[in-house]
Amino acid sequence: MFTAFRISSTYRQYMVAFIANFSTLLYGISVGWVSPTVPKLMSVDTPLPIGPITVEQASLISALLYIGGLVGSLSFGWLAGRIGRKWALFCGTVPHIFAHLLIIFAKSFAFLYVSRILSGLGCGATFVALPIYVSEISEDRLRGIMGAIFCNMVSMGLVIGRALGSYLDFYVVPYAVLVVLAIFVIVFPMFPETPQYLLLKQRDDIAEKSLRFLRGVSRDLKVPMPVAVQDEFNALKSSPTLSNQSLSISLADFRPLATRRAILISLVLISGRSLCGVLPLDNYTASILVESGSNWSPDISAIIVGIFELVGSNLAIFFIDRNGRRVILIASSLGGALFITLLGSIFFAKSYFNVDTSSFSWLSILALGGFMTLAAIGMVAIPLSVSAEVLPPKLRSLVCTTFMLLYWAMTFAIVNFFLTFSNIVGMYTPMWLFACWCLFEMTFVYFILPETKGKSFDEVALELEGKRNK
């Protein structure tokens, strides 16, 4: 279909990645929707017929998304290795559909509990299958930018979710989300499975057709491919990480030094997406700004912070293949630590010195927005794509699934207990703990992570072994 329009290889890859990331947009909407909606559900004017929900119920509505994500990562991670990255990602839309139908018919908080778990199932599919899919369809020179689209679409979803929750009726919002789902369900099946997955399954002819489509070449195998595309396909077929492998995984697959280092890098960076504090701050943006003493409208302030985050994710796309992963991660971690320390200091001054922080409400928004911007540029945008770059293709589904289980469990605990913990020890304490993680991640990246910019998987493996490809 798309070959007839002579779309160039670069724009074709962008197009496929953009449509694939509609699933990521749904995740952003699911998180962003909570910030303005939970206060409405807790108010006397709640749209639920049973009346206002409690603080504990509100916390569960926010956090159950991540329990669903844990189960979704496990099940769809397995599917990504069995039926392919493409169809695992596509099947992840089914829970989202039922989740938003439940909101349409919600009469009590129990409907919302089930809805959030189902949304989490779909988000789990996105987090496991999408980074692998996008990484494997991309040329080496575009892989960083293509991976950064993930964070961009999450940030866009956050802004959309907060705007929908703020200005549309509670029961109207799910209809708007179902429109996004319909676009994905109709368009995404037109795109192929990844060449690397097909080669792992010994489907060489179909893998070649997939690569031809992605590089804008005729899918007729009788038509010669351009030299560059032919060389790329030959390199994939002869790659030590893809050729002559059994499909079963054994302990021997984990013995190479490069593999063990890749696993450690994936563990730290994926965990950092939760431990840096982005998700609890995303879920409770409006409440946090009110607690800081800001006298601005909570809903408008939350949207402003979301726009900061969206700007950061767009900057990630601009910088990621110009400056490399290491530099961006180091700058993101260090800058994020400074901004979140400032936000914690505002809470500390308000709590211990009774400072009237309402007179500089803009500073709280700047501190939170600055942290979100820098986190979006690096700590949130880069980990999943870097994991796909450093891990051997055979182990990607297993390792990413395992660490995503840990990620979802940590995020559930942090989001669910964030408000309670903050009430006990003061809001400044979690802010400063998040800052400590940011500083640790900066140090780890500086000493452990090799630069993956523009390198093939085999070149990255040599770097992890402490060698250079000459």
Side-chain angles (χ1 to χ4, degrees):
M1 172 182 176
F2 296 103
T3 304
F5 294 98
R6 299 184 180 277
I7 301 174
S8 72
S9 171
T10 298
Y11 288 110
R12 185 179 295 258
Q13 291 171 70
Y14 286 151
M15 175 184 64
V16 176
F18 179 75
I19 296 298
N21 271 280
F22 267 51
S23 59
T24 314
L25 187 70
L26 293 168
Y27 167 71
I29 292 172
S30 298
V31 174
W33 171 82
V34 170
S35 179
T37 301
V38 163
K40 291 181 180 179
L41 296 176
M42 297 176 67
S43 72
V44 293
D45 297 323
T46 178
L48 294 177
I50 63 168
I53 62 174
T54 66
V55 173
E56 291 76 15
Q57 291 166 345
S59 295
L60 272 178
I61 288 172
S62 299
L64 282 175
L65 178 80
Y66 307 105
I67 288 295
L70 188 153
V71 178
S73 292
L74 180 62
S75 55
F76 287 99
W78 177 81
L79 279 177
R82 289 288 178 174
I83 66 174
R85 288 65 157 124
K86 169 187 172 179
W87 291 113
L89 186 59
F90 181 81
C91 291
T93 60
V94 176
H96 278 299
I97 293 172
F98 285 104
H100 288 88
L101 289 175
L102 277 173
I103 295 176
I104 292 174
F105 297 105
K107 302 300 180 185
S108 70
F109 58 84
F111 284 74
L112 300 181
Y113 285 172
V114 179
S115 172
R116 295 293 284 176
I117 292 172
L118 288 174
S119 287
L121 287 173
C123 295
T126 297
F127 272 72
V128 170
L130 181 65
I132 300 174
Y133 181 82
V134 171
S135 176
E136 292 184 354
I137 67 169
S138 307
E139 296 177 61
D140 292 343
R141 64 185 178 88
L142 298 176
R143 203 165 57 237
I145 295 176
M146 300 273 279
I149 295 174
F150 184 101
C151 184
N152 181 266
M153 295 292 272
V154 170
S155 300
M156 190 181 301
L158 286 169
V159 174
I160 293 172
R162 289 170 184 169
L164 292 176
S166 297
Y167 300 110
L168 289 185
D169 182 80
F170 174 80
Y171 291 105
V172 173
V173 172
Y175 289 103
V177 179
L178 288 171
V179 172
V180 177
L181 277 162
I183 295 172
F184 179 83
V185 168
I186 293 170
V187 178
F188 186 65
M190 300 178 186
F191 302 140
E193 182 56 82
T194 72
Q196 292 185 47
Y197 175 81
L198 294 168
L199 287 172
L200 277 173
K201 295 294 186 178
Q202 288 88 45
R203 302 176 190 170
D204 290 18
D205 287 348
I206 302 176
E208 182 178 339
K209 288 182 179 180
S210 171
L211 187 65
R212 284 170 173 265
F213 174 89
L214 294 167
R215 303 299 179 260
V217 179
S218 170
R219 300 184 73 179
D220 185 350
L221 299 182
K222 297 178 181 178
V223 177
M225 289 190 287
V227 174
V229 180
Q230 185 65 60
D231 288 346
E232 182 182 3
F233 186 64
N234 291 340
L236 284 175
K237 290 178 66 177
S238 62
S239 170
T241 57
L242 284 172
S243 60
N244 300 320
Q245 295 189 93
S246 65
L247 293 178
S248 61
I249 294 173
S250 66
L251 287 176
D253 294 313
F254 296 89
R255 286 177 187 153
L257 177 61
T259 299
R260 286 182 278 123
R261 285 185 173 175
I263 291 172
L264 176 62
I265 289 167
S266 300
L267 172 62
V268 171
L269 295 186
I270 291 175
S271 299
R273 298 184 87 253
S274 178
L275 295 175
C276 73
V278 164
L279 284 167
L281 300 184
D282 269 334
N283 278 272
Y284 301 116
T285 301
S287 301
I288 288 170
L289 291 173
V290 170
E291 181 69 19
S292 72
S294 173
N295 56 11
W296 291 23
S297 164
D299 289 343
I300 293 176
S301 298
I303 292 173
I304 291 172
V305 171
I307 292 172
F308 268 101
E309 200 166 349
L310 181 58
V311 169
S313 61
N314 278 284
L315 289 174
I317 294 175
F318 180 79
F319 285 120
I320 196 166
D321 270 337
R322 288 171 172 80
N323 302 94
R325 285 50 155 169
R326 274 172 48 83
V327 172
I328 294 176
L329 276 171
I330 291 170
S332 169
S333 303
L334 177 58
L338 295 175
F339 274 112
I340 201 69
T341 299
L342 172 60
L343 184 60
S345 299
I346 293 172
F347 284 110
F348 187 80
K350 181 174 179 286
S351 299
Y352 274 81
F353 301 107
N354 296 318
V355 175
D356 181 12
T357 54
S358 63
S359 58
F360 45 91
S361 300
W362 60 271
L363 187 58
S364 300
I365 296 173
L366 176 64
L368 183 54
F371 171 76
M372 290 299 195
T373 301
L374 289 168
I377 292 174
M379 291 183 289
V380 174
I382 293 178
L384 295 176
S385 58
V386 167
S387 296
E389 289 176 326
V390 299
L391 290 167
K394 186 178 180 181
L395 299 179
R396 279 179 201 148
S397 290
L398 174 64
V399 174
C400 287
T401 299
T402 302
F403 290 156
M404 287 309 301
L405 295 179
L406 177 63
Y407 166 82
W408 290 115
M410 288 190 301
T411 303
F412 170 78
I414 292 171
V415 171
N416 193 39
F417 297 110
F418 175 80
L419 293 178
T420 302
F421 180 72
S422 300
N423 288 335
I424 295 172
V425 298
M427 187 67 77
Y428 54 87
T429 302
M431 300 303 163
W432 288 345
L433 289 175
F434 296 148
C436 289
W437 173 267
C438 292
L439 292 175
F440 165 75
E441 187 167 326
M442 178 195 70
T443 306
F444 177 87
V445 169
Y446 182 82
F447 287 106
I448 303 296
L449 179 66
E451 183 53 68
T452 59
K453 172 186 172 184
K455 295 175 181 175
S456 69
F457 299 109
D458 296 320
E459 289 171 333
V460 172
L462 286 173
E463 293 273 0
L464 290 171
E465 291 280 3
K467 304 173 184 177
R468 294 292 186 271
N469 185 11
K470 298 180 180 179

